[in-house]
């Protein structure tokens, strides 16, 4: 069972995982600027690492996650191999989906990261389907589904929440409220700015949390995961965070207020946890530096793995198809 005591080892793991997500995506920022080194839009979770790390840490390995277009952090937190993930993002045959998914259609079934959907608002109904299967098969597992504040305004999300609550499905809805949906800010597309208020409409527990505090996210996740696993039905977490870059690396975010960005930079989840753990003597500054260096080396080896892998053969497009 997950330890909700936030012991030192667990806190170090949270930190290490967030560093991995940050360094992995910082590398993607570099690669996205090189012509054809990575293919397609790079939609990153820089600044939102605490949500992925905190929620997934509260799950069991057999629990399922369903993610959306901003998925790298969720997948790395769940245990995806950085080398195969990087190769996939590069569109290479050595990738987790043999180079046929790219960054936007990733899945890693071996670690129960069974689907991502780039259709905004599609991941909650998919998560409800996975949770229905878990309930139907009487499995003790739950499904955590990640979606954005933009998705929260989609009809499909309301239907998913209604059905999950009605059928008491073991699904944890995790809304990453990063204040933006593309170039549109939350208050311009939703009459309710606190997404968590919607939980009451479906008679399920819902709580908001500082999405830039990995330990707070973890603590709330342990509680909500416990609720979902107990058979009482779904729960909603609203992780309040901020999108620190444009929607993707193609978007320079000229419409974003630089003062607000600077305020959120001060709240960087990676630095906050580092400072807290260093302050409590749980990690020394030197150990933090070596975690950073080891992670950079790991990410470089992932890029080398991707570079060395070939692109898939055209015939491979016809493999792995499911025809009913
Ligand atoms: C149904 C649908 N409408 C529009 C889009 C284009 N689109 C892709 S991501 C995005 C913004 C989503 O915002 P949010 O759900 O808050 O997630 P975030 O990008 O902030 O993580 C939009 C409008 C899409 N992919 N699917
Ligand atoms: Mg958003």
């Amino acid at each position: 069972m997950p330890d909700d005591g936030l012991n030192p080892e667990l806190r170090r793991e949270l930190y290490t995982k967030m560093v991995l997500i940050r360094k992995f995506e910082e590398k993607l920022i570099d690669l996205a600027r090189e012509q054809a080194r990575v293919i397609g839009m790079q939609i990153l979770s820089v600044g939102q690492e605490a949500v992925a790390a905190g929620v997934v840490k509260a799950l069991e390995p057999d629990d399922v996650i369903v993610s959306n277009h901003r998925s790298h952090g969720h997948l790395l937190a769940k245990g995806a191999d950085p080398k195969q993930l990087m190769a996939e993002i590069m569109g290479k045959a050595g990738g987790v989906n043999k180079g046929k998914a790219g960054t936007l259609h990733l899945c890693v079934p071996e670690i129960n990261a069974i689907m991502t959907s780039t259709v905004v608002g599609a991941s909650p109904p998919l998560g409800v389907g996975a949770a229905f299967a878990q309930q139907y098969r009487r499995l003790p597992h739950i499904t955590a589904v990640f979606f954005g504040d933009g998705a929260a305004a989609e009809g499909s999300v309301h239907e998913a929440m209604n059905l999950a609550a009605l059928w008491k499905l073991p699904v944890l809805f995790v809304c990453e409220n990063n204040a933006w949906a593309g170039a549109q800010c939350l208050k311009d597309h939703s009459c309710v700015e606190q997404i968590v208020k919607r939980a009451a409409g479906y008679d399920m527990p819902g709580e908001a949390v500082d999405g830039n505090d990995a330990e707070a996210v973890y603590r709330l996740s342990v509680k909500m995961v416990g609720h979902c696993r107990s058979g009482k039905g779904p729960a909603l977490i609203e992780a309040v965070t901020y999108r620190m870059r444009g929607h993707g690396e193609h978007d320079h975010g000229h419409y974003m207020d630089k003062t607000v960005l600077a305020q959120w930079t001060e709240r960087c989840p990676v630095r906050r946890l580092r400072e807290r753990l260093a302050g409590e003597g749980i990690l020394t500054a030197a150990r933090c530096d070596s975690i950073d260096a080891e992670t950079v080396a790991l990410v470089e080896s992932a890029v080398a793995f991707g570079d060395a892998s070939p692109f898939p053969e055209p015939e491979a497009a016809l493999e792995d198809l499911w025809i009913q």
Side-chain angles (χ1 to χ4, degrees):
M1 287 296 290
D3 178 3
D4 63 355
L6 274 173
N7 60 56
E9 190 189 336
L10 191 144
R11 300 173 79 189
R12 281 192 287 266
E13 285 170 7
L14 272 179
Y15 176 73
T16 308
K17 200 59 104 172
M18 284 203 293
V19 172
L20 173 61
I21 300 169
R22 175 67 60 90
K23 299 292 179 198
F24 188 93
E25 292 201 312
E26 280 179 350
K27 189 68 198 178
L28 283 175
I29 294 171
D30 293 345
L31 295 182
R33 294 195 182 124
E34 291 182 34
Q35 202 176 5
R37 191 88 179 275
V38 291
I39 294 158
M41 268 186 202
Q42 294 305 318
I43 296 182
L44 308 181
S45 60
V46 173
Q48 300 179 212
E49 298 88 349
V51 185
V55 170
V56 175
K57 196 80 197 154
L59 299 175
E60 299 285 354
D62 283 335
D63 291 331
V64 164
I65 64 165
V66 175
S67 180
N68 61 1
H69 52 281
R70 209 173 288 283
S71 69
H72 304 154
H74 307 145
L75 298 173
L76 287 168
K78 193 77 169 77
D81 172 39
K83 290 185 177 173
Q84 287 180 287
L85 194 66
M86 186 63 84
E88 187 60 46
I89 294 167
M90 296 168 103
K92 298 299 191 77
V96 283
N97 305 119
K98 304 181 189 172
K100 295 191 275 181
T103 168
L104 288 182
H105 303 282
L106 292 160
C107 70
V108 193
E110 306 77 45
I111 54 161
N112 293 309
I114 58 171
M115 291 172 275
T116 58
S117 176
T118 305
V119 179
V120 172
S123 54
L126 292 169
V128 164
F132 175 76
Q134 289 165 327
Q135 186 193 64
Y136 187 75
R137 295 163 69 196
R138 298 180 197 282
L139 299 173
H141 315 140
I142 77 152
T143 298
V145 55
F146 295 91
F147 60 102
D149 47 299
E154 295 280 346
S156 54
V157 177
H158 299 283
E159 291 180 37
M161 289 182 176
N162 183 54
L163 202 60
L166 186 69
W167 290 352
K168 299 215 178 312
L169 299 178
V171 53
L172 177 61
F173 294 101
V174 182
C175 181
E176 281 185 77
N177 181 354
N178 64 5
W180 291 97
Q184 199 173 35
C185 62
L186 179 59
K187 65 175 167 41
D188 289 341
H189 70 74
S190 177
C191 60
V192 174
E193 285 191 55
Q194 287 106 9
I195 309 294
V196 70
K197 285 186 181 171
R198 305 219 174 130
Y202 307 102
D203 199 21
M204 66 175 160
E207 277 184 52
V209 66
D210 178 348
N212 283 30
D213 181 341
E215 297 183 284
V217 173
Y218 171 77
R219 252 187 242 108
L220 178 59
S221 300
V222 168
K223 178 172 146 188
M224 295 310 213
V225 165
H227 172 89
C228 297
R229 210 185 294 286
S230 71
K232 292 185 191 140
L236 171 66
I237 290 177
E238 178 188 359
V240 181
T241 179
Y242 202 76
R243 198 189 72 199
M244 296 305 295
R245 305 189 62 78
H247 174 63
E249 289 311 295
H250 57 287
D251 170 15
H252 298 290
H254 57 277
Y255 48 86
M256 296 169 80
D257 185 327
K258 301 293 170 283
T259 314
V260 176
L261 265 175
Q263 286 162 358
W264 281 91
T265 303
E266 288 302 307
R267 308 185 57 209
C268 167
V270 183
R271 199 182 56 227
R272 273 171 85 188
L273 189 56
R274 177 184 169 129
E275 285 173 4
R276 199 182 293 160
L277 297 186
E280 292 181 35
I282 289 171
L283 277 176
T284 60
R287 183 65 196 122
C288 288
D289 289 344
S290 60
I291 289 171
D292 283 9
E294 286 159 20
T295 310
V296 168
L298 177 67
V299 170
E300 289 301 333
S301 71
V303 174
F305 177 83
D307 276 336
S309 174
F311 284 107
E313 296 296 334
E315 301 75 48
L318 299 177
E319 294 165 6
D320 306 311
L321 298 176
W322 185 65
I323 300 163
Q324 201 179 21

